[in-house]
């Protein structure tokens, strides 16, 4: 079977970086058509730079990287330096990239690629706020039916919020964009906090990454050691959750995850619950299902896959 064609839309972020590395380490499974940067964990000048840093760390400087939207559709940008550090990739010391940033805007690249490739053959993989995807859908409504699948990291149900009591960060930053995406009609698979909080980088798992002994393995171990301090203090957990690599892992090995096809709506009108993913997990409404909302992960299988693949770079 030929590799699945994907566009990674991202706001790196250490866990975004690991997701990108996993994709680039898996060319038999995934063909990365391009990486589109969006403002989120840190502002756009840093996310587009970080995406290129990660591509060079992977030894894949030929990867196409595009800069996209620098602010949410209707709101002021909220960032997460308190989690990811001032650069977004705090932890390891990595050189500035020498590979070019593409001149084309990320939204134009998404639209052009979906129109150029055969219908139903391109998967969008948003790892940050959904601004770029929503703007593309608004500007070119015809692309919705051409999308094979949208596999995104965002939202929560049982784990509720990590940036507010009710909302997960990616959805909260641009809830209007999320509302647009969830209503677009394309097949959607969601990796919420309910799953990602079970993908914890324990000391043993981090030691296995470091033991790879390559620049990639060591850098990933240093990234997770940096941002785990926030989650361990906040949740009292054994390590940091690797949110975004769940998206890539699902594309490579979907049987690591289980979930339900349900209705998911995005709250945009409430100050109290802004950005909440209202997931009808128990089927108590008559709203039509619009997303496969994952609820569990084989964490040992996930880390085995991650460690093996990162060892290839």
């Amino acid at each position: 079977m030929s590799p699945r064609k994907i566009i990674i839309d991202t706001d790196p972020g250490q866990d975004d970086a690991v997701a990108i590395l996993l994709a680039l380490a898996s060319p038999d499974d995934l063909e990365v058509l391009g990486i589109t940067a969006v403002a989120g964990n840190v502002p756009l000048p840093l996310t587009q730079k970080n995406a290129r840093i990660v591509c060079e760390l992977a030894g894949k400087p030929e990867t196409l990287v595009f800069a996209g939207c620098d602010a949410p559709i209707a709101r002021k940008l909220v960032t997460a330096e308190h989690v990811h550090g001032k650069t977004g990739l705090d932890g390891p010391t990595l050189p500035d990239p020498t590979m070019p940033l593409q001149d084309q805007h990320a939204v134009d690249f998404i639209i052009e690629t979906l129109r150029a490739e055969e219908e139903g053959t391109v998967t969008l993989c948003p790892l940050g706020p959904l601004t770029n995807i929503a703007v593309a859908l608004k500007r070119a409504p015809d692309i919705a039916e051409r999308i094979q699948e949208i596999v995104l990291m965002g939202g929560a149900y049982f784990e509720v919020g990590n940036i507010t009591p009710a909302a997960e960060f990616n959805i909260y930053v641009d809830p209007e964009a999320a509302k647009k995406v969830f209503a677009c009609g394309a097949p959607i698979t969601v990796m919420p906090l309910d799953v990602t909080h079970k993908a914890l980088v324990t000391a043993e798992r981090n030691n296995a990454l470091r033991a790879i002994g390559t620049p990639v393995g060591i850098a990933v171990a240093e990234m997770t050691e940096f941002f785990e301090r926030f989650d361990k203090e906040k949740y009292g957990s054994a390590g940091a959750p690797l949110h975004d690599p769940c998206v890539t892992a699902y594309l490579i090995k979907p049987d690591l995850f289980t979930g339900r096809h349900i209705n998911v709506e995005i709250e945009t009108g409430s100050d109290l619950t802004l950005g909440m993913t209202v997931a009808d997990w128990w089927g108590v409404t008559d709203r039509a299902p619009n997303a496969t909302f994952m609820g569990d992960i084989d964490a040992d299988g996930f880390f085995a896959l991650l460690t093996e693949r990162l060892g290839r770079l």
Side-chain angles (χ1 to χ4, degrees), residues 34-105:
I35 297 175
T36 52
V38 68
N41 285 323
V42 287
L44 183 67
L46 287 172
T47 60
Q48 57 88 351
K49 177 183 176 182
N50 290 348
R52 291 182 291 139
I53 288 173
V54 173
C55 291
E56 291 192 353
L57 174 63
K60 307 284 186 179
E62 69 280 5
T63 308
L64 302 178
V65 177
F66 303 82
C69 298
D70 62 1
I73 290 172
R75 299 178 187 274
K76 185 178 177 182
L77 178 65
V78 175
T79 55
E81 287 90 350
H82 62 290
V83 179
H84 298 280
K86 66 181 187 302
T87 69
L89 287 183
D90 282 21
T93 301
L94 298 170
D96 286 346
T98 58
M99 63 182 279
L101 180 69
Q102 301 300 306
D103 292 333
Q104 189 178 27
H105 192 280

Side-chain angles (χ1 to χ4, degrees), residues 107-122:
V107 170
D108 295 325
F109 169 74
I110 292 168
I111 294 169
E112 182 181 284
T113 303
L114 284 166
R115 285 175 172 168
E117 296 288 341
E118 185 180 347
E119 183 174 332
T121 62
V122 176

Side-chain angles (χ1 to χ4, degrees), residues 3 25 69 77 118 141 147 184 230 247 257 291 299 308-310:
C69 298
L77 178 65
E118 185 180 347
I147 298 168
C184 77
F230 175 81
V247 168
F257 301 87
E308 186 271 323
R309 293 298 170 95
L310 294 185

Side-chain angles (χ1 to χ4, degrees), residues 9-308:
D9 189 68
T10 180
D11 61 338
Q14 291 92 345
D15 57 322
D16 303 72
V18 180
I20 294 167
L21 290 168
L22 179 56
L24 294 177
S26 306
D28 292 341
D29 299 288
L30 303 173
E31 180 184 352
V32 181
L33 301 178
I35 297 175
T36 52
V38 68
N41 285 323
V42 287
L44 183 67
L46 287 172
T47 60
Q48 57 88 351
K49 177 183 176 182
N50 290 348
R52 291 182 291 139
I53 288 173
V54 173
C55 291
E56 291 192 353
L57 174 63
K60 307 284 186 179
E62 69 280 5
T63 308
L64 302 178
V65 177
F66 303 82
C69 298
D70 62 1
I73 290 172
R75 299 178 187 274
K76 185 178 177 182
L77 178 65
V78 175
T79 55
E81 287 90 350
H82 62 290
V83 179
H84 298 280
K86 66 181 187 302
T87 69
L89 287 183
D90 282 21
T93 301
L94 298 170
D96 286 346
T98 58
M99 63 182 279
L101 180 69
Q102 301 300 306
D103 292 333
Q104 189 178 27
H105 192 280
V107 170
D108 295 325
F109 169 74
I110 292 168
I111 294 169
E112 182 181 284
T113 303
L114 284 166
R115 285 175 172 168
E117 296 288 341
E118 185 180 347
E119 183 174 332
T121 62
V122 176
T123 295
L124 303 181
C125 304
L127 310 179
L130 290 161
T131 315
N132 284 342
I133 310 302
V135 172
L137 287 164
K138 184 177 181 180
R139 194 176 297 172
D142 60 288
I143 65 173
E145 62 187 18
R146 303 189 65 82
I147 298 168
Q148 180 178 1
E149 188 177 6
I150 298 171
V151 183
L152 66 93
M153 189 276 133
Y157 180 61
F158 295 99
E159 287 287 300
V160 291
N162 64 353
I163 187 69
T164 74
E168 179 275 330
F169 177 82
N170 287 343
I171 307 298
Y172 177 79
V173 170
D174 199 342
E176 285 77 17
K179 191 176 185 75
K180 175 76 173 174
V181 171
F182 274 84
C184 77
I188 297 174
T189 297
V190 184
M191 296 293 162
L193 298 182
D194 306 283
V195 162
T196 66
H197 279 179
K198 297 172 184 173
L200 295 177
V201 187
T202 61
E204 182 181 1
R205 290 166 176 165
N206 213 41
N207 288 340
L209 293 168
R210 189 186 303 278
I212 294 171
T214 61
V216 167
I218 293 166
V220 168
E222 291 174 347
M223 286 182 202
T224 57
E225 282 174 347
F226 176 84
F227 83 96
E228 76 174 1
R229 84 216 182 285
F230 175 81
D231 291 285
K232 289 172 80 170
E233 181 179 343
K234 181 176 180 179
Y235 297 109
S237 59
L242 275 183
H243 305 286
D244 296 329
C246 290
V247 168
T248 318
Y250 169 78
L251 294 170
I252 298 168
K253 200 170 183 182
D255 59 357
L256 292 172
F257 301 87
T258 56
R260 297 182 183 181
H261 190 52
I262 62 171
N263 179 268
V264 181
E265 303 292 338
I266 310 299
E267 178 56 60
T268 59
S270 166
D271 290 336
L272 194 61
T273 58
L274 180 69
M276 184 177 184
T277 44
V278 183
D280 188 11
W281 185 260
W282 301 114
V284 296
T285 75
D286 59 1
R287 294 192 291 265
N290 62 346
T292 300
F293 202 81
M294 291 301 178
D296 209 354
I297 179 176
D298 172 1
D300 287 338
F302 168 79
F303 278 98
L305 173 68
L306 182 64
T307 305
E308 186 271 323

